[in-house]
Amino acid sequence: MKITRYPQSCLLLSHEGRQIVIDPGSDFLATRQHTELDMVEAVLYTHKHSDHVDPEIADYLGSKGAQLIGNRETAEMLGDRELRIVEDGESFEVAGFAVVARELPHCLLPDGSAGPQNTGYIINGTFFHPGDGIELAGLEVESMALPIQGPDISMKDAFRFAKSLKVKQAIPIHYDKMGADPAVFAAFAKRFEMPFTLHVLADGESLEL
């Protein structure tokens, strides 16, 4: 499976000639073009924040026949657009990918209040995208997208989350808006001998997992 990173928390997953994308939010069009997602067959949204879901991109991909998938709060935000609502623990297949939806709390907001409904996705049993979540008990997975910065996400939080899932490889996400340097996180992970490797990907760079 090939994973391509785009701004903030957007990842394009490719396998056997088929593609899905997770969280193409408002930052995507700042550096990329709609057409780069023309082969996408399904869009997975973790939650309703604009850096994770952009209505213009949803309209474009929907017009191309891509299936839109997300939780109830995301569906409410997108209004009358057709979106398949998934529940916690639901398993399904889309575009040849096996997907399991797992709800986990969104990190706290700047004022300390709770965030919106947040749904992560386990892809092909090996890769986990948690949206803006940093804690989920009872899950072990080989690799993940790891939020490294946020209103309530520290380096300690990020590293603890990755260790709790027993991942071996992680791709840093969710740092563009707040100016964190993922290379610094990778250097500290190495310095403190974390039991996983942080793969820092530039905008548009890919990694085979």
Side-chain angles (χ1 to χ4, degrees):
M1 181 167 60
K2 183 171 75 172
I3 299 178
T4 304
R5 181 191 174 271
Y6 293 120
Q8 193 63 346
S9 298
C10 181
L11 296 178
L12 178 70
L13 280 61
S14 307
H15 183 61
E16 296 182 348
R18 306 183 75 178
Q19 295 182 347
I20 61 174
V21 67
I22 304 175
D23 283 358
S26 56
D27 301 271
F28 181 87
L29 294 177
T31 62
R32 319 304 303 189
Q33 300 294 320
H34 292 96
T35 52
E36 295 181 65
L37 302 178
D38 277 357
M39 298 300 293
V40 165
E41 296 181 50
V43 188
L44 306 180
Y45 294 115
T46 63
H47 63 287
K48 67 180 184 180
H49 283 159
S50 63
D51 56 331
H52 295 259
V53 52
D54 180 86
E56 179 184 344
I57 297 174
D59 287 340
Y60 178 82
L61 294 177
S63 73
K64 293 288 185 178
Q67 184 177 12
L68 309 182
I69 300 168
N71 60 35
R72 292 185 181 277
E73 287 192 7
T74 303
E76 292 170 2
M77 188 277 283
L78 285 174
D80 59 1
R81 295 173 180 85
E82 186 175 342
L83 181 141
R84 173 181 174 179
I85 296 174
V86 292
E87 306 290 347
D88 182 31
E90 182 175 344
S91 300
F92 57 97
E93 184 174 314
V94 64
F97 291 83
V99 183
V100 180
R102 291 293 306 271
E103 286 204 12
L104 64 163
H106 188 287
C107 68
L108 296 179
L109 301 182
D111 62 358
S113 63
Q117 181 184 18
N118 183 72
T119 302
Y121 299 98
I122 306 167
I123 310 296
N124 289 344
T126 62
F127 181 79
F128 183 51
H129 191 307
D132 284 0
I134 54 171
E135 185 174 359
L136 180 61
L139 176 65
E140 294 184 13
V141 68
E142 293 177 14
S143 55
M144 73 179 300
L146 180 63
I148 63 169
Q149 187 60 281
D152 190 47
I153 302 174
S154 68
M155 182 181 292
K156 180 180 69 175
D157 295 327
F159 289 176
R160 181 180 62 219
F161 189 28
K163 288 192 294 183
S164 75
L165 300 186
K166 300 190 185 313
V167 300
K168 297 303 180 187
Q169 301 182 85
I171 298 170
I173 60 169
H174 204 262
Y175 55 83
D176 300 83
K177 280 188 175 297
M178 302 190 75
D181 185 348
V184 171
F185 281 71
F188 271 90
K190 184 175 181 179
R191 174 182 173 184
F192 285 91
E193 298 181 338
M194 292 294 151
F196 55 84
T197 300
L198 273 180
H199 298 281
V200 177
L201 301 182
D203 182 5
E205 187 177 2
S206 301
L207 176 70
E208 289 281 352
L209 288 177

